[in-house]
Structures are given as structure tokens and as C-alpha cells.
Amino acid sequence: MCYETKHYSFLYFLVGKLTDERLEKTFGNSKESTKTAARILSGLSGISDCPYDLSNRVEAAYQIASCSYEYGTSWGTKIGWLYGTTTEDILTGMRIHARGWKSTYCWPDPPAFLGCAPSDGPAALTQQKRWATGLLEVLFSKNSPPIATFTAKLQFRQCLAYMWIISWGLRPIPELCYLALPAYCIMAGSHFLPNYKFHTLFEYYGAGFSIRACLNNLMMGRIITVTSWLFGFFCVILKLLGLLETVFEVTKKDLYTTPGEGSDKDAGGFTFDGSLIFVPATTLLLVHLMALVTALSGLFDHVGIESRIGEIICSVWVVLCFSPFLKGLFGKGKYGIPTSTICKSAALALLFLACTITFAFHH
């Protein structure tokens, strides 16, 4: 579902007549706002036929826009965009559906709502981490879709759709293990694929996209999972344990510039900074590079390389998926991975190698 009208509120839970005192407690002490709300709730248009004073409307706008206006009211808890998560659009939309309201996909021509997206690596991954954290906050709260299905009017198919979205943050742990599995098998001399069958790596034929677009989607899917979503998962776990409070992390958006408008030749390339969010992906890349080196050099080759050809292909595929990080190992400036991140990742990769060798030779 697309909920882009972020500057409007949904008065979906109120029915019946409310007193002035109740209106003020619900919507705040703005007389202009409460009068409009009363008209809407009584079934009339929100626009009065009586002439109005523009200065009063401007004054009301300033009053409502103040940071303290919503304190002691129902804004953020029962009306408006709901608080308690960094993905307030998902939570609000689900609560609307749980009240029995129907929605439609709005796609006017030309598009009515356009925005900017982060263009550099740190901002993009921080945004994805914020989304993963917010989605898991919804999943592990009283507003979880299964609860809304049994206690409210959220339909079963709507519940499945919301679960598919908000469970993204649960993927990093199993996917991180799955991505490390080929390297482990190569270094441990074992295999998890049949010797006679290759598994296809392309799953996007027929989607109408170019091969490059499909490869980019696969690549970014792996990177985001083991970076942003992994950190989002840990943030929610720490919050559930009472050790951390999640905050809304603002990400920088850059306007699109055409070539020659002050953009450098590397514009559009993956950028890095010293954040820990880049450590897991860098570590995974180094692990697979070490695995491929051991396979090609014959180290720990107590089983034939032909029995691990499937794992080697998978390992090469993982390296290709993390090719922006491979370029970052040799890049400079913001297009290069900081030395501190490389050192941390190298230490973790060597620890993985040592644990793998120890476990393999003891079994």
C-alpha cells in the first residue's frame, strides 16, 4: 500500500457526538481545529460556509505546528500518525485497516508525490537500518498484525501482506549464516550441494527488467540484509531487553544531478565511512576471498576440489554480490573502506578461519 499523504491525519476511530471538552482533550486547544473536527465528525464538510478570518487561520496554523501542541491530546496515540516506531506510516496504515477501513493504490499521472532518496552508502544503509528497526518494533508490539487479525478487523490476507513486509528484519541472521556457508564448506573440506547438480543463480527472468537491474537488485539485497537489517535486528533485541531506546535517525537526501552539473566522475559509486555498519559485509567478503585462496592453492585439500565445485561457484557469486566492497578495499577517499573497518573485519575473518579449521579437524 502507498501512504504518501503524510501531512494529513486520519480520524478513523471517532464516532458519535463529542463535547467541546472532549474535543479539546482529543484534538488540542485550537478552536479552529476543534470546530473543523466537530463538523467532520457530525457528517458535515470540514469547510464552513460562514466567512472566516484569515488571520485566525494563520494563528491556528502556528499554534498547531508548535512542538508542545500535541501534549495531553490523542495525537500520536489514537489519531494522526501513530508514534512508538520509526516506521510510523506502516503502523498507521495497519491501524486504519484494523479499524475496517479500505484503501486503494493511488497512482495519478503525473505522479503527485515525488521525493529524494539517499545517494551515498552510509545514508542509504542508515535509512534501511531505521526501517528494519521500525518494522521489528511493530512486529514485537501489541500492534503486531496477527494480534490485529484476532482482536480487530484486519483481514487475513492483509495480515499476510503486513507480515511479509515487517519480517524483513528477521532475515539477516539466517542469511548471514547462509552466505558464510560456502566459505565454511570450502575451508572445512565439506559440501552442502549435490555433486551432480548446479543451482541456478538467476531468479528474475520474466520480470521485465534488464539483466543489469536484476543483478543490482540481487547485489543490494545481500548488502542491505547483512548490514542495515542486521543492525536493526540487534537494535530491537536490545530494546526488548531494556538496554537501548531506538531513535529516528535522519538520513541525507541528495537531488539528482545530470552529468556536468558539478558531479565528479565517480558519482553514483558506493561510498563508505567509519561506521560499524560496514564491518559485517567487509568481513564476509574477506572470508570468501580467503576461502577461494585456500581452494585454488590446495590448502586444507584433504578432499578433492571437484567435490566442492558447487560451493566454489557459490563463493564466487557472493564475492560478486559484494563487489562494491571489493572495490572499496582498493578505493580512496569516501569511495574506499576506512583502514579501521578493514582491520576489524580482517580480525573477524581470521577468527572465523581459525574456528572453522579447529571445528573441521576435530570432526
Side-chain angles (χ1 to χ4, degrees), residues 121-122 125-126 129 223 226-232 234-235 238 249 272-284 325 337-345 348:
L125 295 184
T126 299
K129 173 195 160 192
I223 292 175
V226 300
T227 54
S228 308
W229 294 359
L230 179 65
F231 275 76
F234 287 136
C235 284
L238 292 176
E249 299 174 83
F272 303 88
D273 61 11
S275 172
L276 290 175
I277 203 170
F278 295 103
V279 171
T282 307
T283 302
L284 195 61
F325 284 77
I337 301 176
T339 304
S340 60
T341 301
I342 295 177
C343 292
K344 296 171 185 174
S345 300
L348 292 173

Side-chain angles (χ1 to χ4, degrees), residues 90 94 97 135-141 143-150 154-171 229:
I90 291 289
M94 187 175 65
H97 284 146
L135 293 175
L136 288 177
E137 286 174 337
V138 176
L139 178 62
F140 294 115
S141 71
N143 298 305
S144 181
I147 296 177
T149 301
F150 288 105
L154 189 69
Q155 298 179 10
F156 179 69
R157 288 184 298 174
Q158 292 174 325
C159 174
L160 293 180
Y162 278 111
M163 285 299 297
W164 179 77
I165 295 174
I166 67 177
S167 61
W168 289 351
L170 297 178
R171 283 175 48 186
W229 294 359

Side-chain angles (χ1 to χ4, degrees), residues 114-131 220 224 228 248-257 267-271 273 278 334:
L114 296 175
C116 301
S119 63
D120 59 348
L125 295 184
T126 299
Q127 184 184 61
Q128 288 286 337
K129 173 195 160 192
R130 185 182 73 223
W131 289 348
M220 288 307 301
I224 289 172
S228 308
F248 190 93
E249 299 174 83
V250 180
T251 50
K252 182 183 67 173
K253 273 71 170 187
D254 295 329
L255 292 173
Y256 173 77
T257 57
F270 205 93
T271 57
D273 61 11
F278 295 103
K334 65 179 182 179

Side-chain angles (χ1 to χ4, degrees), residues 205-228:
Y205 286 135
F209 296 101
S210 65
I211 294 179
R212 181 176 180 181
C214 293
L215 293 177
N216 285 339
N217 286 335
L218 288 172
M219 177 181 67
M220 288 307 301
R222 305 291 74 74
I223 292 175
I224 289 172
T225 301
V226 300
T227 54
S228 308

Side-chain angles (χ1 to χ4, degrees), residues 23 34 45 57 99 130 135 151 175 185 197 232 267 271 286-287 307 337 347 355:
L23 282 170
T34 53
S45 170
R57 296 296 178 94
R99 293 284 178 175
R130 185 182 73 223
L135 293 175
T151 62
E175 186 156 334
C185 290
K197 183 179 179 181
T271 57
L286 294 178
V287 165
S307 65
I337 301 176
C355 293

Side-chain angles (χ1 to χ4, degrees), residues 277-347:
I277 203 170
F278 295 103
V279 171
T282 307
T283 302
L284 195 61
L285 173 65
L286 294 178
V287 165
H288 278 278
L289 291 177
M290 288 193 302
L292 292 175
V293 169
T294 59
L296 296 176
S297 61
L299 295 175
F300 319 120
D301 200 13
H302 49 277
V303 295
I305 192 174
E306 63 278 357
S307 65
R308 292 175 289 166
I309 189 66
E311 286 75 16
I312 293 175
I313 293 176
C314 288
S315 190
V316 171
W317 173 247
V318 173
V319 171
L320 292 177
C321 285
F322 289 87
S323 58
F325 284 77
L326 183 61
K327 295 178 181 177
L329 292 176
F330 307 98
K332 297 181 180 179
K334 65 179 182 179
Y335 299 105
I337 301 176
T339 304
S340 60
T341 301
I342 295 177
C343 292
K344 296 171 185 174
S345 300

